[in-house]
Structures are given as C-alpha cells and as structure tokens.
Amino acid sequence: KQEVTQIPAALSVPEGENLVLNCSFTDSAIYNLQWFRQDPGKGLTSLLLIQSSQREQTSGRLNASLDKSSGRSTLYIAASQPGDSATYLCAVGYGNKLVFGAGTILRVKS
Amino acid sequence: NAGVMQNPRHLVRRRGQEARLRCSPMKGHSHVYWYRQLPEEGLKFMVYLQKENIIDESGMPKERFSAEFPKEGPSILRIQQVVRGDSAAYFCASSPLDRAAGNTIYFGEGSWLTVV
C-alpha cells in the first residue's frame, strides 16, 4: 500500500530559524515527488518538484532533497518568515497519481 | 495566463440533491485531475481525465460519483444524491502533458461542498 507520512504534524518556530520538514513514503517506485504549500481555505501552491532521478531541488530559501532508496524527502526552509506560516504537503507521484501526506502545519512567530 | 478555475467555490446542498463542480484547466492544459480533501484528512486522488477520456478513475467511489471532460467546456465532477459524508473540499488540477513524464500539476482554489 502506498502511504506517505509527514513529521512533525505541527511546528512553531520564531522568525529567522532554519527548519526541516520530513516526508517518508512506503513504496519507493516513485516517478517524482512534489512539495506544496496550502494556506487556510485556499488551493495548493507548488513549491518544488523533484524527479526520481534527482537528489535535490532548490528555489530561493527552499531546498528539497530526495532519497528514494530510504523512502525519504526533506524540505529545508532557511531564515523562516511569518509569511511562511501555512500547511506544507508532501506528495509522491506514482504515474499520474499523487499520494499526499497529511501535512505539517507551520507557524512562524514574529 | 489564468490559473485553474473552479466554481462554485462554495456549495451547500441538502441530502439527496445533486452537486456539480466545474473546473476549467489552465490554458493549453489537456490533462485534468480531481482530488478530495475530507475534514481532518489528506488529499486523496479521485480521477484523471484527458479530453473526452477517463484515464484513471481508481479513486472514485463506485456509486453516485462521475466525472467528464468534454471536447468543449470545463471538466465536471458530478455527485448524485449527496450524503453528509460527501462534505469536503474538492480540488481540480491540470497539467500540460502527462504528469508521469515529470510535469508539474497546478491546483485550483477548490470547491467546498457542505451537505446539510
């Protein structure tokens, strides 16, 4: 069964801290992995897409890594800001289907 | 370039009524996906469609739910005889090409269905 787990479920940090969100998946036969951000009552915004052949992707203060063999991905956020407060979703791509984790709720305090 | 457009954003239906959710993909996108987010749960895949074809409906409930993506017009997710358990946020996403080939998909803002 394809399952995706995200740890921690919630995280509260002061502004300026670097932080790591974790994602693990049970089926390593992935096509790709995508990190999203979801604000309350809103849709999903794509942050980073990592192909199965890649090890990491970077965009601005965000860096995502992928270790297929161990079934893990991390999202690193540098110098966190209050505007980063949102739910972060890890989604593993199996063909044309995404399997989502339950998300990490991030709160960055000013 | 407008994003994925969903309407209505909020819909209230009484038990037994029908709900129709519409999704217009981004311009140039011919692949549409529907996901459902139940309260306190993660998003779950429902169906993947291309123009006039259902490619993968493995996540669709066996009864009352149907989806289409006609040659002209938006994709429609139809829920017949709604029950309280259908209350959820329904998200549509689109991609320009086959997502399995590594293309990013783009999500709409969602349609929130409440069944009373």
Side-chain angles (χ1 to χ4, degrees), chain B residues 16-55:
Chain B
Q17 290 185 319
E18 178 180 286
R20 281 187 181 234
L21 309 177
R22 288 176 292 278
C23 169
S24 296
M26 288 179 72
K27 188 176 180 180
H29 288 195
S30 59
H31 300 246
V32 166
Y33 314 79
W34 285 93
Y35 285 78
R36 176 166 67 171
Q37 187 172 37
L38 291 164
E40 308 304 322
E41 292 188 25
L43 281 90
K44 299 277 194 266
F45 168 81
M46 298 182 77
V47 62
Y48 162 45
L49 311 102
Q50 296 178 22
K51 284 284 187 182
E52 300 185 277
N53 285 302
I54 297 174
I55 307 301

Side-chain angles (χ1 to χ4, degrees), chain A residues 30-79:
Chain A
I30 74 172
Y31 281 64
N32 44 47
L33 185 146
Q34 201 161 350
W35 282 92
F36 293 89
R37 167 188 172 137
Q38 185 177 25
D39 292 284
K42 299 287 187 180
L44 282 68
T45 301
S46 179
L47 299 173
L48 290 164
L49 170 66
I50 311 176
Q51 305 298 342
S52 62
S53 59
Q54 297 175 322
R55 298 283 296 187
E56 66 177 343
Q57 281 286 344
T58 298
S59 175
R61 294 182 294 109
L62 305 179
N63 174 277
S65 67
L66 173 64
D67 184 341
K68 243 179 61 168
S69 60
S70 67
R72 295 181 189 279
S73 175
T74 61
L75 178 67
Y76 175 82
I77 303 177

Side-chain angles (χ1 to χ4, degrees), chain B residues 14-19 64-65 79-84 86 115:
Chain B
R14 295 187 184 278
R15 280 177 294 171
Q17 290 185 319
E18 178 180 286
R64 304 187 296 108
F65 284 71
I79 312 171
Q80 295 179 287
Q81 300 171 345
V82 295
V83 301
R84 287 219 171 109
D86 297 334
V115 180

